Amino acid sequence: MTSSNDRPVEREVVRDFREAMSYGDYLHLDELLSAQHPVSRPPHHDEMLFIIQHQTSELWLKLVLHELRAAMRHLATDDLRLALKNLARIKHVQRTLIEQWSVLATLTPSEYLEFRGSLASSSGFQSQQYRAVEFALGNKNAAMLEVFRHDEPRQRELAELLAAPSLYDEFLRYLARQGWPVPREVLDRDVTKTHVLHDGVVEVFRGVYSQVDQHWGVYEACEDLVDLEDSFQVWRFRHLRTVQRTIGFRRGTGGSSGTGFLARALDLTFFPELYAVRTELGD
């Protein structure tokens, strides 16, 4: 007698993968699932969590960078609609990245100290993809290239992003092509440097926010950028708090000051005028 909980395999379901491509083949699961190599000896149980947390974060960062590059291409060709689609996807990824900290937070200080010494000088500070995302968003820092001197392809990719317009640069150039009075010195600035607040750009956004109904598409893009930065800051804050609850105020494994270094990142901004304009509205 067949239980009501049984679910027979349908006859049409493919079973023979000696020549056909399987799910595991497509995703390279043998390679992916064999990439976790604890270095503690004997291997500590909780190191697997630590490795998978960071590997999955790197995969999500790869997607964020993929979408950011597409958004910049679309802005450069005046396709705001497709750029907003990319930003919408990034925001969903950001929510996943933020929530992942709650998983790592289950690692207690005593558990982490069991294998922390095995990490040697490796640190999330050395995440090339994280730096690439920051460069793409506009937080440029040429000094970071030195960290990747040992990895020429990764260093070259960062150097290319350093020399390229950021997402914000492309957005401001898009606005200028649409007739908005973006100051020429902003459009012609040295893109290898971090953009700093410019009163002329604040005035552009005052025009957008003062007449939302007439400029809805640009207004929506502005708010999407604010959402993106807010989520990035929440991610930074969750990182800080997770590190703080796990190692307190110890120095980072990569030589940074630890939580002090992470706390200073909370003062960084990608799109300063989009926050400054909020103070100006109604004046």
Side-chain angles (χ1 to χ4, degrees):
M1 180 177 179
T2 302
S3 168
S4 60
N5 285 329
D6 288 341
R7 186 179 64 166
V9 178
E10 296 173 351
R11 290 177 55 189
E12 293 79 7
V13 170
V14 179
R15 296 173 173 83
D16 187 353
F17 297 99
R18 287 172 294 182
E19 296 183 7
M21 181 173 65
S22 71
Y23 174 81
D25 294 334
Y26 175 68
L27 296 177
H28 293 266
L29 289 183
D30 285 345
E31 181 181 356
L32 183 65
L33 298 179
S34 62
Q36 295 74 45
H37 305 286
V39 294
S40 56
R41 292 294 178 268
H44 191 275
H45 172 81
D46 297 298
E47 191 178 356
M48 184 64 74
L49 161 64
F50 193 79
I51 292 171
I52 290 176
Q53 168 86 22
H54 289 82
Q55 287 182 339
T56 53
S57 293
E58 289 292 333
L59 286 172
W60 285 123
L61 287 173
K62 182 173 183 176
L63 181 57
V64 168
L65 192 58
H66 178 69
E67 297 296 332
L68 281 174
R69 284 183 163 130
M72 289 187 283
R73 287 196 305 271
H74 293 318
L75 286 173
T77 57
D78 295 336
D79 197 333
L80 183 62
R81 179 181 57 87
L82 285 180
L84 293 184
K85 169 65 176 178
N86 299 128
L87 297 186
R89 181 171 293 166
I90 290 170
K91 288 192 288 183
H92 284 290
V93 175
Q94 286 179 306
R95 281 194 282 272
T96 299
L97 282 166
I98 290 167
E99 187 55 35
Q100 281 193 186
W101 288 119
S102 63
V103 181
L104 191 61
T106 65
L107 183 67
T108 68
S110 57
E111 290 167 344
Y112 181 45
L113 288 175
E114 289 290 328
F115 65 87
R116 185 175 190 255
S118 302
L119 303 180
S121 58
S122 63
S123 167
F125 175 81
Q126 300 145 18
S127 169
Q128 186 267 2
Q129 289 197 127
Y130 174 81
R131 298 300 164 192
V133 168
E134 282 211 326
F135 279 19
L137 290 175
N139 184 21
K140 305 290 186 76
N141 185 350
M144 285 305 305
L145 296 181
E146 182 67 15
V147 177
F148 303 97
R149 183 174 54 179
H150 67 288
D151 189 339
E152 186 177 344
R154 294 285 190 173
Q155 186 186 55
R156 184 168 55 250
E157 181 185 26
L158 274 185
E160 291 170 357
L161 285 168
L162 181 72
S166 70
L167 176 69
Y168 199 43
D169 289 323
E170 292 291 8
F171 181 54
L172 294 178
R173 293 177 182 188
Y174 165 81
L175 291 180
R177 291 193 298 273
Q178 302 306 308
W180 292 92
V182 180
R184 174 51 58 183
E185 62 266 28
V186 173
L187 299 174
D188 295 338
R189 76 179 192 88
D190 180 359
V191 297
T192 66
K193 309 294 184 184
T194 298
H195 172 83
V196 295
L197 188 143
H198 192 290
D199 290 340
V201 178
V202 175
E203 285 304 307
V204 169
F205 290 135
R206 186 205 289 265
V208 174
Y209 280 80
S210 296
Q211 297 179 309
V212 171
D213 291 343
Q214 296 180 39
H215 311 296
W216 183 261
V218 173
Y219 168 74
E220 183 181 14
C222 291
E223 287 298 287
D224 278 350
L225 290 175
V226 171
D227 286 344
L228 191 155
E229 175 155 340
D230 277 358
S231 293
F232 205 94
Q233 288 288 44
V234 171
W235 185 90
R236 284 170 167 164
F237 181 74
R238 289 291 300 275
H239 185 190
L240 166 66
R241 296 299 295 177
T242 302
V243 170
Q244 199 170 60
R245 70 178 286 162
T246 305
I247 67 169
F249 297 95
R250 293 171 180 262
R251 293 192 68 83
T253 50
S256 75
S257 58
T259 54
F261 179 80
L262 296 175
R264 288 192 294 276
L266 295 175
D267 294 328
L268 302 175
T269 182
F270 301 120
F271 320 124
E273 292 87 1
L274 287 174
Y275 290 87
V277 73
R278 284 152 164 75
T279 306
E280 304 295 327
L281 292 176
D283 291 347

